[in-house]
Amino acid sequence: MKERSFQIDVNLKEITKHRTETLPIACYETTIRENINGYIPLHWHEEIQLVVVLKGEAIFQINENKRAVKEGNALFINSGCLHMAEEKKQSNCVYICLNVLPHLFLSQELYTTYGYPYVKAPHLSYIFIDRTKGWGKSIIESILKVNELLNEKAPFFEIDITTQLTMLWKNLVSHAFQQTHPKTNTLKNERMKRMLNWIHENYKEKITLDDIARSGQLSRSECCRYFKRILHTTPISYITEYRVQKSLLLLLEEEASVTNVAYAVGFNSTSYFIDQFKKVMKITPFVYQQERRGKS
């Protein structure tokens, strides 16, 4: 199944589509450029995410870290970590994404010892999975096998999936989790989430830097450092980009006017909205309306 877009709530949490009733997991194919934004926007979820790049090359940002993943390699993203993805150099990147709740990898008796400590480790935000290494190849094969089992749904496929997940987790614990990774501060991650959540709840209103800093319990200067360090942008630039993103779906509506949409997403001037839309999307909202409606 191809996934062209996905829903994110105001807390930046992805609303995952589960594939089976008996196993609450999701597995889907994503073409990055087919997302409405042209990239996969910042989000998080309770599920652990495993990504296998099938074509091209993707740049993933996980918390403060960036990692390029080429065709054939994979990535483990831990539960609760903020992440986003974009394709590198027009490579038309396609990947398979497997989302699994942490406790599904192991039985309840084993999870306390072999699961929980790694899921909650503040320094373990991601693992690069190299297909040239034996354990990496095995993990990638397990991810692809789970996808195959979900598509075919042969008798007892749920049991086969749990077997693959357990093998996958064993390889992660015995090989990958022993690696050293850049430490991330749990409190820093939570403060960033709080600030972004506040923006997403109030983007239609007038927002100041003081408002954003206050929501994260930070000073103005520290707030700016958080955004620069983690998102590589300023708080005000992030608000502008978010408002433009929110305008995309509104512009698809039949009776939508650019002026009404501009004010609906928090801009106080139609001309300023058009100017910012062109900078973010590289086209005017008028052209965007025509292009999207022409494809429907």
Side-chain angles (χ1 to χ4, degrees):
M1 180 182 73
K2 280 199 173 186
E3 191 76 357
R4 296 178 185 272
S5 62
F6 54 84
Q7 292 182 304
I8 302 173
D9 67 17
V10 294
N11 300 305
L12 280 183
K13 184 177 180 181
E14 180 183 351
I15 305 171
T16 305
K17 297 177 181 178
H18 297 313
R19 291 289 297 278
T20 75
E21 293 182 6
T22 51
L23 282 177
I25 68 176
C27 192
Y28 46 85
E29 184 178 308
T30 295
T31 301
I32 293 179
R33 65 173 56 179
E34 290 183 356
N35 186 275
I36 193 171
N37 301 292
Y39 62 94
I40 307 303
L42 193 71
H43 65 285
W44 67 277
H45 34 71
E46 294 174 2
E47 293 90 349
I48 282 167
Q49 186 168 91
L50 291 142
V51 175
V52 179
V53 176
L54 302 178
K55 178 183 176 183
E57 183 175 2
I59 305 294
F60 290 89
Q61 179 172 331
I62 310 97
N63 290 340
E64 299 178 42
N65 310 300
K66 281 195 172 184
R67 179 75 211 206
V69 184
K70 294 182 179 180
E71 181 176 327
N73 292 322
L75 197 68
F76 161 93
I77 301 174
N78 211 348
S79 170
C81 291
L82 287 164
H83 57 281
M84 62 185 295
E86 59 185 357
E87 65 179 42
K88 185 175 181 180
K89 296 180 180 178
Q90 301 296 311
S91 62
N92 195 21
C93 182
V94 180
Y95 61 76
I96 282 180
C97 187
L98 173 63
N99 288 6
V100 185
L101 286 168
H103 69 271
L104 292 180
F105 286 99
L106 298 169
S107 66
Q108 185 176 352
E109 293 79 6
L110 294 175
Y111 181 71
T112 301
T113 302
Y114 297 109
Y116 184 86
Y118 301 107
V119 174
K120 296 300 181 182
H123 65 282
L124 185 58
S125 56
Y126 78 96
I127 294 283
F128 174 71
I129 302 171
D130 188 343
R131 73 177 186 274
T132 64
K133 296 182 179 179
W135 61 268
K137 181 181 178 183
S138 179
I139 288 173
I140 291 168
E141 288 175 348
S142 290
I143 297 168
L144 296 176
K145 184 62 178 178
V146 169
N147 185 53
E148 180 185 320
L149 290 166
L150 280 168
N151 286 325
E152 294 180 353
K153 290 187 170 64
F156 312 113
F157 76 98
E158 297 96 337
I159 297 175
D160 291 332
I161 286 176
T162 57
T163 300
Q164 292 294 330
L165 292 179
T166 301
M167 290 171 53
L168 189 159
W169 193 260
K170 181 183 177 183
N171 273 305
L172 285 169
V173 171
S174 58
H175 298 285
F177 290 164
Q178 306 308 316
Q179 300 177 14
T180 302
H181 280 269
K183 292 190 176 182
T184 55
N185 188 301
T186 303
L187 177 59
K188 186 188 301 179
N189 194 25
E190 289 305 313
R191 280 179 169 168
M192 192 74 238
K193 285 182 183 177
R194 285 203 298 268
M195 289 190 287
L196 294 177
N197 177 36
W198 190 90
I199 290 172
H200 297 170
E201 289 182 338
N202 296 277
Y203 72 93
K204 297 178 183 179
E205 311 299 328
K206 182 179 178 181
I207 295 177
T208 67
L209 180 57
D210 285 328
D211 294 329
I212 301 169
R214 194 178 304 113
S215 69
Q217 296 180 314
L218 297 169
S219 67
R220 289 163 53 99
S221 58
E222 190 65 11
C223 169
C224 291
R225 280 193 285 270
Y226 266 59
F227 273 81
K228 184 176 181 180
R229 190 184 306 128
I230 297 176
L231 301 184
H232 309 288
T233 189
T234 66
I236 301 305
S237 293
Y238 180 85
I239 295 168
T240 300
E241 276 200 40
Y242 186 74
R243 284 170 170 161
V244 168
Q245 288 178 16
K246 297 300 286 187
S247 75
L248 297 178
L249 290 177
L250 295 179
L251 288 169
L252 294 179
E253 296 177 3
E254 283 296 326
E255 302 301 322
S257 74
V258 174
T259 298
N260 289 341
V261 169
Y263 284 96
V265 296
F267 288 95
N268 56 14
S269 158
T270 304
S271 59
Y272 183 66
F273 166 65
I274 293 172
D275 180 58
Q276 295 305 308
F277 192 101
K278 288 163 68 176
K279 287 180 180 178
V280 174
M281 302 297 295
K282 306 298 188 294
I283 58 174
T284 70
F286 305 105
V287 172
Y288 178 80
Q289 283 178 289
Q290 293 168 356
E291 287 183 349
R292 301 297 295 187
R293 288 170 184 170
K295 292 178 182 180
S296 60

